[in-house]
Amino acid sequence: MQDLRSAGEEEMIETALSLGEKAFRGRQLFQWIHGRRVQDFHEMTNLPAGFRLKLQDSFRVSGVTIIEKQVSRRGDTAKYLFALPDGNVIESVWMKYHHGNSVCISSQVGCRMGCSFCASTLTGLTRNLTAGEMLSQIYETQRETGERVSHVIVMGMGEPLDNYDNLLRFIRLLSDEKGLHISQRNITVSTCGLTERIRDLMRESLSITLAVSLHAPNDEIRRRTMPVAAKYSMEEIFAVCRDYFNATGRRITFEYSMIRGVNDREEHARELAERCRGMNCHINLIPLNEVKERNCLRSVDPDIERFKLVLEKYRINVTIRREMGSDIDAACGQLRKKFLDQAGCNPDNPEEVKR
Ligand code: SAH
């Protein structure tokens, strides 16, 4: 059955026409699904009953269902474990900031990038999420909290640029003025640095923020934690990031997860700073969220502070990520992994998930 939540307005118009309805019925359908975020065709009361029945027969509006919600002690972060229609499980994080509410969404079930510190990749890639499934994570957290989402970050489970077409469809629907209408400036996509895809993205005329996961000052150290570093050198990544800025005018964010004894020395900070010279970028230092299956440790606070000071001496914009929700398994893929372990589930066969 075709999923309408991934469809754009033009496609809904075509659907209406193909079912013998006028074009404006397609526009109404879009308004219901993305403007009012209704899933059940029966609730779409201004559509003729016959049309609704036909839709019911051949289409569905995909959604996610909450399996579990964990709220941090301070109440400013909530982690959702969601079930997809096929029984797969993903997670999203809702965060309350003074400037509004952000949702961090997953782009794939699992991930195939294999970073050695990350929980999302432990079970490999199961499948890509559709645009509708990415949107549903935002629609559902907004419905459940009753609070408007203003910022979206694609930094949950998965490598978004490894699911490129669905990601683009998602961004366009999310920023559609007839949908949730989230400004593209408030959408951040994080990638481990798939340079060909960054070049494609550059040509899409989007004003989103691109975040690139570096986690190292040079290729040698990067290859120790990120298998993808064997394919793309830091030189290539920096070249594409410079081009991205020149083409879009959007400042790049570099993410740098701080792993004790691996990438957190003063000389690493200097080497990183040298690479960023003359570049309009922002570095986000992330204290590693330790994952029990991984033997990487979080850098100690004085080392993180010192790293930041060195970068500041080079006049680089740098922040240390606030550790929201570390008490609720907020690192990518952690909550899902725990759920799969408890359910005794074989990740290659999600049907086995016991509810
Ligand atoms: N595939 C995308 C999105 C991953 S999640 C990417 O690689 O960018 C967003 C960020 O969190 C990435 O920088 C990722 O490397 C980092 N990350 C993953 N697991 C982490 C952990 N346990 N602690 C700290 N950062 C982590």
Side-chain angles (χ1 to χ4, degrees), residues 111 113 115 117-119 154-156 158-160 190-192 211-213 215 226 255 257 286-291 321 331-332:
C111 181
M113 297 298 138
C115 299
F117 45 84
C118 179
V154 189
M155 280 192 192
E159 166 51 45
S190 176
T191 174
C192 60
V212 178
S213 301
H215 309 327
M226 300 178 73
E255 293 161 275
S257 296
I286 313 172
L288 187 82
N289 221 316
E290 292 175 9
V291 173
R321 183 180 292 172
C332 327

Side-chain angles (χ1 to χ4, degrees), residues 33-269:
I33 294 176
H34 293 291
R36 303 188 57 176
R37 295 174 287 284
V38 160
Q39 251 178 284
D40 188 343
F41 294 119
H42 291 300
E43 289 176 39
M44 305 182 182
T45 44
N46 63 357
L47 299 181
F51 182 33
R52 281 189 262 156
L53 282 177
K54 283 187 225 160
L55 288 170
Q56 185 88 36
D57 283 345
S58 326
F59 298 91
R60 65 184 166 87
V61 183
S62 78
V64 294
T65 321
I66 300 178
I67 301 177
E68 193 182 325
K69 180 188 180 188
Q70 293 184 356
V71 181
S72 68
R73 277 187 289 277
R74 279 184 303 198
D76 55 2
T77 310
K79 182 129 187 176
Y80 292 86
L81 192 66
F82 287 125
L84 299 169
D86 66 357
N88 272 301
V89 174
I90 52 165
E91 54 189 49
S92 318
V93 184
W94 180 89
M95 289 161 286
K96 195 179 182 70
Y97 290 100
H98 55 271
H99 61 254
N101 300 318
S102 292
V103 177
C104 173
I105 65 147
S106 295
S107 56
Q108 295 180 316
V109 180
C111 181
R112 57 174 177 156
M113 297 298 138
C115 299
S116 70
F117 45 84
C118 179
S120 301
T121 206
L122 283 165
T123 54
L125 175 69
T126 304
R127 71 169 174 88
N128 283 329
L129 294 187
T130 65
E133 288 167 337
M134 288 187 250
L135 286 169
S136 295
Q137 298 169 59
I138 301 157
Y139 293 179
E140 187 57 13
T141 46
Q142 179 163 296
R143 187 198 61 74
E144 205 271 340
T145 58
E147 289 194 42
R148 193 176 153 75
V149 171
S150 57
H151 293 68
V152 171
I153 48 185
V154 189
M155 280 192 192
M157 193 174 22
E159 166 51 45
L161 298 190
D162 191 31
N163 183 13
Y164 188 82
D165 294 339
N166 290 334
L167 176 79
L168 273 219
R169 185 173 267 278
F170 159 77
I171 293 171
R172 297 217 159 96
L173 286 168
L174 183 63
S175 53
D176 193 304
E177 60 179 20
K178 292 178 186 162
L180 210 48
H181 197 194
I182 292 189
S183 159
Q184 288 185 1
R185 292 176 168 269
N186 293 347
I187 302 174
T188 300
V189 172
S190 176
T191 174
C192 60
L194 308 182
T195 57
E196 300 97 338
R197 287 315 202 180
I198 297 177
R199 286 207 186 279
D200 294 339
L201 197 60
M202 197 185 298
R203 299 190 193 97
E204 306 280 356
S205 308
L206 300 173
S207 50
I208 59 166
T209 299
L210 185 68
V212 178
S213 301
L214 286 183
H215 309 327
N218 58 49
D219 289 322
E220 197 260 311
I221 296 181
R222 198 162 188 263
R223 282 190 214 115
R224 278 194 231 156
T225 53
M226 300 178 73
V228 73
K231 187 158 179 210
Y232 306 101
S233 68
M234 288 195 51
E235 203 172 307
E236 283 172 74
I237 292 177
F238 273 77
V240 74
C241 287
R242 286 198 163 86
D243 291 347
Y244 189 92
F245 175 76
N246 291 335
T248 64
R250 301 291 298 158
R251 185 175 79 168
I252 303 275
T253 295
F254 288 124
E255 293 161 275
Y256 197 100
S257 296
M258 301 215 52
I259 313 172
R260 194 185 308 169
V262 174
N263 62 3
D264 60 354
R265 292 216 300 267
E266 224 171 307
E267 69 209 58
H268 298 147

